[in-house]
Amino acid sequence: MTALEAREKRKAQTRERILEAGGQLLLNDGFHGFSMRKLAAKVNYTATAIYSHFPDKDALLGELVEREFIKFRRAFDLTSKIADPIERLAKKGMTFVEFALQQPDAFKFLFMNTQIEAFPKVGLIERGNPAQDCYAYLRSTIAEALAAGRFRPELSDADMLAQIFMSGVHGIVSLHIARGKDPWVKWRPVRQRAKLMVEALIRGLTLPQDERPESPPDTIGTIRI
Amino acid sequence: MTALEAREKRKAQTRERILEAGGQLLLNDGFHGFSMRKLAAKVNYTATAIYSHFPDKDALLGELVEREFIKFRRAFDLTSKIADPIERLAKKGMTFVEFALQQPDAFKFLFMNTQIEAFPKVGLIERGNPAQDCYAYLRSTIAEALAAGRFRPELSDADMLAQIFMSGVHGIVSLHIARGKDPWVKWRPVRQRAKLMVEALIRGLTLPQDERPESPPDTIGTIRI
DNA sequence: GCATGTCACTTAACACTGTTAATTTACGTA
DNA sequence: TACGTAAATTAACAGTGTTAAGTGACATGC
C-alpha cells in the first residue's frame, strides 16, 4: 500500500506544481494570456498532461481563483475582534478595499472576472467555501447590528444589507481598477473615496444615535448598560 | 466623381452591414462567442474581408461598444428634464443600472475591462467621448444640488460626490455581473439592490428635509418660494 | 521472475481562433 | 480596350482547447 500511496503523493505533488505555476502564469500574463500550453511548458509537460489532473481549463482556473480567495479570507478574519458591529462592518469594508488595492490581480479575477461565471460544480461548495465564508462574515456582522436595532426600522434583511454594503466598497475599487486612469475624471484618492462610501452607506442605512433603541429589540426586558 | 462617390458609399454601406451584424452577434453570442469568421459568415464574406474595413478585432469591437454607449448616453439625456437635482441624480443612477443589465457585454467592455486601459487612440476622444459626457452630466447634476445646499455641509466636492455615487451603482451591477450566480449568496433582486443603494447614498450624503436651507447658499437674499 | 494491468504522460490530430501575404475579381477612368 | 485601384478571395501561419490512441514506467498477482 505504501507504493500506491507514494504514487498518489507524487501525483498530488505534480498537481500542486501545476497550480503553483498556474498562479504565476495568471499573475504575469493575466486571463487573456493564460493558455494550457504555456502552463505546460512552465512545468515541462505537454499540454495534454494537465488533463489528467484537471478536467478542463475552467476547472483549473476555478481552483486557482479559490486559492486567491483563501488569501483574501485570511485578511478578512483579522477584523473580527472589534466589539461594535457597525464599527466592525466599516473595518471589514476598508479591509476589502485594502486587499483589492494591494492584490489587484487577485482581486480582478475574483471579483471582476466575467469569464468564469460560477465556481466549479463539485468540490468547492462542499468543503467550506472561503468566499462563502467572507460573505457569511459580513452578513453575520450585519445580522448582529440588526439584532441590536442599529439599522433603520424598514431595513430588516441581512442579505440585502450585506449585498448593498459589499457592492459599495466593491464599486469603489473596481471602478478604480477599470477606469481609474481616465484623464477626463478628476479622481479623488481612492482610500478617501472608500472612506466616504462606507460612512455614507452607514449613515444612510443605520439610525442616528438619538433614535437608537436603549435595548436591542430581541432583548427587551433585559438589563443593558 | 459621382462614380467614386458611389463606390465610397457602397463601401460605407458594407461597413455598416458589418457593424449591424456585429451588433447582433455580440448580442447573441456575447464577447466570448464573438469571432471574425462567424461575423463574416453573417454578411456572406470571408473573415479576411473584414480587415479591409477595420484594422483588427479590437477596433471593430471598440466601435460596436461605442455605438452601444451612444445609445446609453441618449437614455441618460432623457433624465435631464427632472427638476429636482437629487431626484434627477437618483434617476440617472437607475438609468446606469438599467443600461448595464440590458447591455451587459457593452458594460463589461466599458466598465469592467482590465485589458484596454484607455479608450481607443483615435475616434472616440476626438469627437466627444460618451463616457466623458456621462461623468460630466452626473457631476453637473451634483454641482447643481450642491449649489442648492442639498448636501451635508462638510461635503462640498462635486467630483468626490460624483465618484462616490457612480461607484455605488457601478458596484451593484458589476458585482451582479461578476458574481451574481454564486450559489452561496442569497442574492436579492438586482434592481431592488440598486434602488436601496441609491436611497442609502442619497440619505447618507444629503441633508434631511428639516435641515435644508430655505434659500440655496449662493442665492441668499433672493426670494424663493 | 514474469505476465498483467493501471496510471502518468506523449504524440497526433481535430476544429477552432486572429491575422498576414499573395492573388483574383470587379469596376471607374483614360 | 487597356490600365490601375480597390475590394474581395484563397492559402497559410501561429496559436488556442480538447480528444483518442499509443508509450513507457511501475505496482501487483501468480
Side-chain angles (χ1 to χ4, degrees), chain B residues 79-127:
Chain B
T79 60
S80 302
K81 294 174 195 165
I82 301 169
D84 185 74
I86 296 296
E87 274 180 39
R88 198 190 316 148
L89 183 67
K91 183 70 182 171
K92 278 188 194 298
M94 294 309 285
T95 303
F96 185 90
V97 170
E98 209 56 41
F99 172 77
L101 296 177
Q102 278 169 23
Q103 315 267 359
D105 285 304
F107 182 81
K108 280 180 209 167
F109 194 92
L110 288 171
F111 292 106
M112 300 174 70
N113 177 7
T114 57
Q115 314 205 16
I116 301 172
E117 281 205 341
F119 272 78
K121 324 81 206 164
V122 205
L124 278 168
I125 292 175
E126 290 162 9
R127 53 187 167 182

Side-chain angles (χ1 to χ4, degrees), chain A residues 31-32 65 69 108-119 125 129 131-133 135 139 152 154-155 157 159-161 163-168 170-172 174-175 177-179 181-189 192-194 196-197 199-201 203-205, chain B residues 32 108-119 125 129 131-133 135 139 152 154-155 157-161 163-168 170-175 177-189 192-194 196-197 199-201 203-205:
Chain A
F31 262 105
H32 195 248
V65 167
F69 246 124
K108 276 182 210 167
F109 70 76
L110 288 176
F111 291 106
M112 300 173 69
N113 170 15
T114 58
Q115 321 229 351
I116 301 174
E117 281 205 340
F119 273 80
I125 294 174
N129 181 310
Q132 183 170 11
D133 290 352
Y135 178 75
R139 191 191 176 285
R152 299 171 64 87
E154 72 272 21
L155 302 172
D157 183 343
D159 280 297
M160 175 62 107
L161 289 168
Q163 288 157 32
I164 296 291
F165 193 78
M166 194 173 184
S167 296
H170 174 266
I172 293 286
S174 63
L175 200 60
I177 288 172
R179 303 245 59 87
K181 289 183 177 174
D182 283 355
W184 59 81
V185 177
K186 284 182 193 161
W187 290 109
R188 300 301 176 223
Q192 283 181 32
R193 261 146 61 203
L196 181 52
M197 170 64 84
E199 288 170 2
L201 279 179
R203 198 185 297 124
L205 295 170
Chain B
H32 196 76
K108 280 180 209 167
F109 194 92
L110 288 171
F111 292 106
M112 300 174 70
N113 177 7
T114 57
Q115 314 205 16
I116 301 172
E117 281 205 341
F119 272 78
I125 292 175
N129 182 317
Q132 182 172 8
D133 290 354
Y135 179 74
R139 192 191 174 286
R152 299 171 65 88
E154 72 273 21
L155 303 172
D157 183 343
D159 279 298
M160 175 62 108
L161 290 168
Q163 287 157 32
I164 296 291
F165 193 78
M166 193 173 185
S167 296
H170 175 266
I172 293 284
V173 284
S174 63
L175 199 61
I177 288 172
R179 304 244 59 86
K181 288 184 177 172
D182 283 354
W184 59 82
V185 177
K186 285 182 192 161
W187 290 108
R188 299 302 176 223
Q192 283 181 33
R193 261 146 60 202
L196 182 51
M197 170 64 84
E199 288 170 1
L201 278 179
R203 199 186 295 125
L205 295 170

Side-chain angles (χ1 to χ4, degrees), chain A residues 207-213:
Chain A
L207 285 169
Q209 192 142 21
D210 55 355
E211 293 178 29
R212 283 185 211 162

